[in-house]
């Protein structure tokens, strides 16, 4: 099955700093999504981005499908950005997703 | 807003009990999923359904079954709960295309 690797596994930032999270996947996909899991466990969908670039406020994401990677950019980080960021990919009917292990982000004030 | 509602936030059950976890979505999504999340193991797919009365095994279906009698409701059943099923259970739904993937707030199940 598809393998999903995320880096870095842990990241500590000072408030206001920028960061880039990376997701590598082992096969072609028709679905790629980024999620944020807040400290209370709720998973929030950030981007549906099987290819191309999208932006939503301070967050943006780019997927280069031909090279099998995706990047999530966080600019001007805030303490509320803390949590775990997951990349998930899918390639089969029904669009079940395979999740990476996540990047734990801690933003300090 | 799309809502995926899980019936319980916390649940404590005894070994051997039959456990039902309920999930309801209100956006007419075709697909529904059950995942479990464990420290160090990430999210793993248990079962999913792409239509009423249809179900497909995920990566770790052993010890679980599911039911989807109505489009909006997807139930996860632990036939005989065991301590190794102590976990966070997450329900999700999406459009047929995979767009709009939305998770519920999770049920933290403890089996004693």
């Amino acid at each position: 099955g598809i393998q999903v690797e995320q880096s870095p596994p842990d990241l500590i930032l000072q408030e206001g700093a920028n960061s880039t999270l990376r997701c590598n996947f082992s096969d072609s996909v028709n679905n790629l999504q980024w999620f944020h899991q807040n400290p209370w466990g709720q998973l929030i969908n950030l981007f549906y981005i099987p290819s191309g670039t999208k932006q939503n406020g301070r967050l943006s994401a780019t997927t280069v499908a031909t090279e099998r990677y995706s990047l999530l950019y966080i600019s001007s980080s805030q303490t509320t950005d803390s949590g775990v960021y997951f990349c998930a990919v899918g390639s089969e009917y029904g669009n079940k997703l395979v999740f990476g292990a996540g990047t734990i982000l801690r933003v300090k004030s | 807003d799309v809502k995926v509602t899980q019936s319980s936030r916390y649940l404590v059950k005894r070994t051997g009990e039959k456990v039902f976890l309920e999930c309801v979505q209100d956006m007419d999504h075709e697909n529904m999923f059950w995942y479990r999340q464990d420290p160090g193991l990430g999210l793993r797919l248990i079962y999913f359904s792409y239509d009423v009365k249809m179900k497909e095994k995920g990566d770790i279906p052993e010890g679980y079954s599911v039911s989807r009698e109505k489009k909006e409701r997807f139930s996860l059943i632990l036939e005989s709960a065991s301590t190794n099923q102590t976990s966070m259970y997450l329900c999700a739904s999406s459009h047929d295309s995979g767009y709009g993937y939305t998770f519920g707030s999770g049920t933290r199940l403890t089996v004693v």
Side-chain angles (χ1 to χ4, degrees), chain A residues 74-87:
Chain A
I74 305 174
S75 64
S76 304
S77 58
Q78 300 176 358
T79 55
T80 51
D81 295 332
S82 296
V84 186
Y85 289 81
F86 290 102
C87 169

Side-chain angles (χ1 to χ4, degrees), chain A residues 33 37 40 42 45 94-95 97, chain B residues 9 37 96-98 101 105:
Chain A
Q33 306 198 32
Q37 188 169 38
W40 298 270
Q42 178 70 56
N45 193 316
N95 280 294
L97 296 179
Chain B
R9 184 78 174 114
Q37 184 176 21
D96 193 43
S97 64
Y101 221 96
S105 55

Side-chain angles (χ1 to χ4, degrees), chain A residues 25-99:
Chain A
F25 44 97
S26 61
D27 208 343
S28 55
V29 299
N30 58 17
N31 189 344
L32 189 146
Q33 306 198 32
W34 284 95
F35 295 88
H36 174 225
Q37 188 169 38
N38 65 25
W40 298 270
Q42 178 70 56
L43 276 153
I44 304 297
N45 193 316
L46 299 175
F47 292 104
Y48 170 80
I49 186 164
S51 64
T53 298
K54 289 186 178 180
Q55 180 152 8
N56 184 1
R58 295 181 297 102
L59 302 181
S60 63
T62 295
T63 298
V64 183
T66 53
E67 297 187 23
R68 299 183 185 166
Y69 73 88
S70 183
L71 302 173
L72 178 69
Y73 305 96
I74 305 174
S75 64
S76 304
S77 58
Q78 300 176 358
T79 55
T80 51
D81 295 332
S82 296
V84 186
Y85 289 81
F86 290 102
C87 169
V89 303
S91 63
E92 299 177 29
Y93 181 80
N95 280 294
K96 58 178 185 174
L97 296 179
V98 176
F99 281 75

